[in-house]
Every structure is written in C-alpha cells, then in structure tokens.
Amino acid sequence: MELVSLSDAQRKSRRGRNIALGVVLFGLVAVFYVVTLIKFSSGMMQ
C-alpha cells in the first residue's frame, strides 16, 4: 500500500476545510436545537 505525502499547502488547505465543515455542522446542530426548543415551548403554552 502506497502512502501519499501531502505538501504543507495541501495540509493547510485540508485543515481549513475540516474546520469550516466542523463550524457548519455545529451551526446546523445549533439551529435544530433552537427550533426544537421553540416548538416544545410553544406547545407547552397552549
């Protein structure tokens, strides 16, 4: 099995994409959490 060695620029680019993906996923989780809280709280008031 051959391993590919990445250059410094490729490592930096991959790290940037991974961080961006993590931020997007965290944002989606936060949005779903807030929407769920709003739905539950509005359901309890009725």
Side-chain angles (χ1 to χ4, degrees):
M1 185 169 137
E2 293 182 36
L3 297 177
V4 177
S5 59
L6 300 175
S7 69
D8 288 337
Q10 289 171 321
R11 277 191 214 109
K12 187 176 181 181
S13 177
R14 180 182 283 184
R15 179 166 170 78
R17 282 191 306 268
N18 286 342
I19 290 172
L21 184 59
V23 168
V24 168
L25 287 174
F26 180 77
L28 283 173
V29 168
V31 166
F32 287 134
Y33 181 73
V34 168
V35 168
T36 303
L37 284 178
I38 291 171
K39 284 187 174 190
F40 277 131
S41 64
S42 67
M44 289 180 184
M45 290 183 174
Q46 293 178 354

